[in-house]
Amino acid sequence: MLLVYHGLKMEKRVFVAIGVAIVLFSLWPSVTLFNHVHPFILGLPPFVFFSLVVFLAVPIFLFAAMARKI
Amino acid sequence: MNWIWIPLTILAYLLVSLWLGVRAARGRQQSVSEHVVAGRGLPLLLVFFIAVGEIYSSLSFLGQPGWSYAYGVPILWATMNGTMVAMVSFWLGPIIWRLGKEHNFYTQAQFLGHFYQSPGLRNTVAAVSLIALIPYVSVQIIGAGFVFRVTTGGRIPFWAGTAIAFTIVAAYVIKGGLRGISWVAVFKGVFMLTVGGAAVILVIWRNYGGLTAMFERIAAESPQHLTLPGNTGIMNYAFWSTSIIVGLCGFYMWPHLFQNFFGARDAQTIRMQAALIPFYNLIGWAFIMVGFAGILVLKNVEPDAVMIEMVMRTAPGWLVAVFCAGALSASMVTAAAATLVSAATLANDLFQPRLNLPDPSLRRLIQWLVALVMVAAYLFAILQSSTIAFVMLMAYGFVCQFMPLVLASIYLRGRIPGKAAVAAILAGMAVTAFFTIGPEALRRPGGVHPGFLGLLANSAVLLIAGATRRRAIISTSE
């Protein structure tokens, strides 16, 4: 990751950091926060809700990156 | 509804696919570039649908609902991974496309062989690609076989149904190449979205009245399906996390997905298709919900057959018939692309450096090899028996070994010798194989995905080689 990060302009660095943060969110230890049966979040079990977060985060992130010509 | 309507609908679907695939090649230049990378001119519609067509295969249609039925939430790694890989496509796709255009690459093996100036690496990558791709095509054939067997109650045997379906696939791949596959992928993509979506809604609402009601019942009667490590304890945190990392590294390293970047018209097309992928991926998530629906409805059903069983129990006859055609199409597009890339890799990377054929002869060789690869995959499908999702999960461990080499070819160009790259990929493969099929007690230590351990070994060899070479260059210049 350092190789990719090295030599980038500040705005690109921010986008790389957000992309990495989205990936890290999906891994341990974040996943432990949602590993319960109850209480349901928006009518879904916490883990199933957790699986939907990236469906929102990734397209917003990528369209923002395109808008900024990253 | 009489059972015969299902195979007849499937046959009609197959004939439409054949027509679309063959028609795409009409009026086009007969060259290797046109056949293998569609003349590097595919627009957004085709690039997007071929990407999602290849992503949403038997695995998402049959294997993933099978896993949610058998184990529960652990399979959600696949949809999360399938969404996040859009970021990898957005980042690496335009770079790979530009390099492919500049150097006229057709295959991943050619790409890596060129940047490491190593024919040995080109051969190694080609061989590894074939080792990964032929079982991958077989998995698609197994998926198609399930559709025939389950929907006709065994009246059409596995071998016969798949032989008919994949003869048609081979025909349009031979005639239409990547452009033919892409038009079939558009047909399949729209078909899956509409028919698959309707089937999912029907199954969940008719059986439970809604998603929340379904999960409330599962939480009360089978709560172990709703948390890690899942029913039967299949996936701990280590396996979950390393599966996602391996998936992110491996996804676009599948040779057929890597090669798709070469077919795009421009870099912006690749970025746009990447941004759109998560929206389509929701249908894969919805298919997984059908597996959850099956937990309290079906008892002792073969996991890979859950999706079709649920639709057959719930939907009207006509919807079952078109749904089955869609299920078959899920296998066909993926198999078509993987077969074309296998044939192109065999011809372009293993035979062409020795034969030096002119363009028309190379194109004809690729077409013949399409048939050969399809027959090999068919035989493999008949002989092996693991469940679809498990085969794919382990195969990821092998293809992800290309990622460190691709990254080093872009960001450390000229700093890693070809021999070190060969050593790195072989080290990664050996470690992955050892922890996948080695002694029972050592498989998946601590739940860590074997491909992740292979990636560590692979990266370590690359970095040590890079550092050693740099030191040698510095000491020579001094």
Side-chain angles (χ1 to χ4, degrees):
Chain A
M1 207 63 234
L2 283 173
L3 294 170
V4 180
Y5 195 71
H6 179 75
L8 294 181
K9 288 179 185 166
M10 182 52 80
E11 193 180 18
K12 272 200 172 181
R13 287 184 172 208
V14 171
F15 271 92
V16 171
I18 294 171
V20 172
I22 291 173
V23 173
L24 290 178
F25 171 75
S26 70
L27 309 177
W28 179 90
S30 311
V31 66
T32 60
L33 297 171
F34 299 90
N35 198 26
H36 310 286
V37 178
H38 293 291
F40 278 24
I41 305 170
L42 298 178
L44 294 172
F47 206 96
V48 178
F49 173 81
F50 164 68
S51 72
L52 282 173
V53 173
V54 291
F55 284 92
L56 196 63
V58 172
I60 290 173
F61 171 64
L62 294 182
F63 278 113
M66 267 198 299
R68 298 297 309 158
K69 299 194 188 308
I70 296 293
Chain B
M1 192 181 78
N2 193 319
W3 71 272
I4 197 71
W5 285 105
I6 293 176
L8 284 178
T9 309
I10 290 174
L11 188 64
Y13 184 93
L14 288 172
L15 292 174
V16 172
S17 299
L18 180 65
W19 176 75
L20 279 170
V22 170
R23 183 180 157 273
R26 275 195 206 149
R28 297 278 169 187
Q29 192 190 357
Q30 304 288 297
S31 66
V32 174
S33 173
E34 177 56 41
H35 199 75
V36 177
V37 292
R40 302 183 201 280
L42 292 180
L44 178 63
L45 177 80
L46 298 188
V47 172
F48 173 73
F49 273 106
I50 198 166
V52 295
E54 289 173 5
I55 294 167
Y56 303 108
S57 60
S58 298
L59 181 67
S60 44
F61 220 79
L62 305 173
Q64 290 177 359
W67 259 54
S68 58
Y69 167 75
Y71 309 116
V73 293
I75 192 56
L76 291 170
W77 82 269
T79 54
M80 289 181 76
N81 181 65
T83 304
M84 289 188 293
V85 292
M87 297 190 290
V88 179
S89 174
F90 189 93
W91 161 38
L92 288 180
I95 302 172
I96 292 167
W97 170 82
R98 178 174 54 78
L99 294 171
K101 191 173 182 185
E102 278 173 16
H103 299 280
N104 199 29
F105 294 140
Y106 297 131
T107 62
Q108 189 183 34
Q110 193 181 6
F111 178 99
L112 289 170
H114 175 86
F115 286 117
Y116 290 93
Q117 292 294 301
S118 170
L121 179 64
R122 187 175 179 180
N123 290 338
T124 308
V125 173
V128 173
S129 299
L130 292 169
I131 289 168
L133 279 172
I134 291 177
Y136 188 78
V137 177
S138 298
V139 164
Q140 307 311 321
I141 294 174
I142 292 169
F146 266 113
V147 176
F148 277 109
R149 205 186 67 200
V150 175
T151 56
T152 65
R155 292 180 184 91
I156 296 181
F158 177 93
W159 66 267
T162 52
I164 295 166
F166 286 89
T167 301
I168 288 178
V169 172
Y172 74 70
V173 175
I174 288 170
K175 187 73 186 160
L178 185 63
R179 198 176 292 275
I181 296 169
S182 63
W183 277 109
V184 176
V186 173
F187 181 49
K188 171 228 168 168
V190 175
F191 200 83
M192 243 175 117
L193 201 60
T194 50
V195 175
V200 169
I201 291 168
L202 260 180
V203 165
I204 292 172
W205 261 258
R206 282 204 175 164
N207 284 289
Y208 296 94
L211 264 184
T212 304
M214 178 181 86
F215 280 119
E216 276 169 353
R217 279 192 56 195
I218 295 172
E221 295 177 42
S222 187
Q224 68 277 13
H225 275 90
L226 297 182
T227 52
L228 293 181
N231 190 33
T232 77
I234 192 169
M235 191 175 255
N236 61 12
Y237 289 132
F239 195 25
W240 169 274
S241 299
T242 52
S243 292
I244 287 181
I245 293 169
V246 166
L248 285 173
C249 290
F251 199 84
Y252 281 101
M253 295 301 111
W254 279 100
H256 59 296
L257 292 170
F258 189 96
Q259 189 170 318
N260 274 348
F261 293 136
F262 296 149
R265 188 160 59 187
D266 51 39
Q268 192 60 12
T269 299
I270 295 175
R271 290 193 191 96
M272 183 57 92
Q273 65 87 30
L276 293 173
I277 280 177
F279 296 112
Y280 195 93
N281 203 14
L282 275 171
I283 192 77
W285 186 88
F287 291 155
I288 287 177
M289 296 302 114
V290 174
F292 281 111
I295 293 170
L296 303 179
V297 175
L298 302 173
K299 296 294 170 204
N300 302 322
V301 169
E302 208 172 344
D304 289 336
V306 162
M307 182 79 179
I308 294 174
E309 285 282 354
M310 286 301 287
V311 173
M312 288 178 75
R313 279 168 180 246
T314 313
W318 66 269
L319 185 58
V320 172
V322 287
F323 179 83
C324 291
L328 185 69
S329 74
S331 313
M332 286 166 50
V333 171
T334 315
T339 304
L340 176 64
V341 171
S342 302
T345 302
L346 258 174
N348 187 55
D349 299 305
L350 294 179
F351 296 149
Q352 179 67 350
R354 292 155 184 87
L355 301 175
N356 210 12
L357 296 169
D359 195 86
S361 305
L362 181 60
R363 182 173 155 275
R364 268 196 300 278
L365 178 62
I366 291 170
Q367 289 172 314
W368 277 106
L369 288 171
V370 164
L372 188 73
V373 167
M374 197 61 94
V375 170
Y378 178 75
L379 293 175
F380 196 87
I382 286 181
L383 295 174
Q384 67 102 25
S385 62
S386 298
T387 64
I388 291 172
F390 189 75
V391 170
M392 293 305 300
L393 188 60
M394 288 301 121
Y396 263 110
F398 293 107
V399 292
C400 75
Q401 303 308 324
F402 295 146
M403 182 57 122
L405 273 73
V406 169
L407 287 181
S409 71
I410 295 169
Y411 296 104
L412 290 175
R413 196 171 301 164
R415 286 165 63 177
I416 309 282
K419 282 181 185 167
V422 174
I425 201 168
L426 292 179
M429 292 279 295
V431 168
T432 305
F434 179 78
F435 288 110
T436 304
I437 54 174
E440 190 78 44
L442 293 175
R443 289 184 197 173
R444 282 203 274 131
V448 174
H449 193 295
F452 182 74
L453 298 170
L455 271 177
L456 293 180
N458 181 336
S459 306
V461 172
L462 271 185
L463 292 175
I464 290 168
T468 311
R469 176 146 170 165
R470 198 172 171 207
R471 207 170 296 141
I473 291 169
I474 290 168
S475 60
T476 310
S477 63
E478 282 170 357

